[in-house]
Amino acid sequence: MTRYMTAGAAALATTLALGTVAAADTTPDLRGTWTASQTTVSPSNSATGDAPRFNQSEWVLDIQTQQDNVFWGPSMWRRNAMDDWTLYEATGSISQDGSGKIGIVESSSEPAVGVNALIDARYEGGRIYADFRSLRTGTTYSTVLERQVN
């Protein structure tokens, strides 16, 4: 009986080790600067039933640190090249199932602001396909982030 338990434990340890290696092999390295331009929509911010606001905007996600499947970096947006950048911090995780799914939380360093947005994304074909939803303003958009090459 002990011999079977030892063999079973060894097989389980090997399976777990190979599973960890396989997950590491499928985790993309997202470090770098990612940019996108998109059309956004925001609620009217009034109770009068005014039409929503559609805007053009730019987004820069600068993933500076990645450890295994989690990452961090500044997240910035602006409506056009004449506007100042609005700066947040992005923390994210890459699914370990090899699907390329990514979850990102965008937060402000100001405690009164807190979490600004939740972003569902996926990494596919060297791009990040992202669906953005602001928890503060109701702004939403879908976009494709492209890695910038220096």
Side-chain angles (χ1 to χ4, degrees):
M1 181 75 161
T2 304
R3 183 175 59 205
Y4 293 116
M5 290 176 61
T6 303
L12 178 61
T14 301
T15 300
L16 291 175
L18 291 175
T20 301
V21 169
D25 288 345
T26 61
T27 301
D29 182 355
L30 298 180
R31 290 174 295 171
T33 302
W34 299 81
T35 63
S37 297
Q38 58 277 325
T39 300
T40 69
V41 63
S42 301
S44 64
N45 290 340
S46 70
T48 61
D50 289 341
R53 297 168 295 154
F54 292 89
N55 296 298
Q56 296 300 308
S57 72
E58 300 174 71
W59 180 23
V60 175
L61 178 61
D62 185 13
I63 300 175
Q64 295 180 353
T65 304
Q66 180 175 336
Q67 183 174 338
D68 300 323
N69 70 315
V70 294
F71 59 87
W72 171 91
S75 177
M76 303 173 287
W77 72 271
R78 65 181 177 183
R79 287 207 176 101
N80 59 59
M82 303 302 289
D83 289 346
D84 291 332
W85 289 100
T86 301
L87 178 63
Y88 294 101
E89 290 185 25
T91 54
S93 63
I94 305 162
S95 178
Q96 293 185 347
D97 65 4
S99 66
K101 290 188 268 185
I102 302 169
I104 303 171
V105 175
E106 188 182 72
S107 304
S108 173
S109 60
E110 298 176 35
V113 174
V115 173
N116 177 61
L118 298 177
I119 304 158
D120 293 322
R122 80 178 186 287
Y123 178 79
E124 183 179 309
R127 296 183 172 120
I128 298 175
Y129 296 83
D131 297 321
F132 178 98
R133 337 184 262 297
S134 172
L135 301 174
R136 296 182 57 242
T137 64
T139 299
T140 63
Y141 58 86
S142 274
T143 195
V144 180
L145 292 146
E146 304 261 355
R147 189 187 316 248
Q148 299 305 296
V149 179
N150 294 335

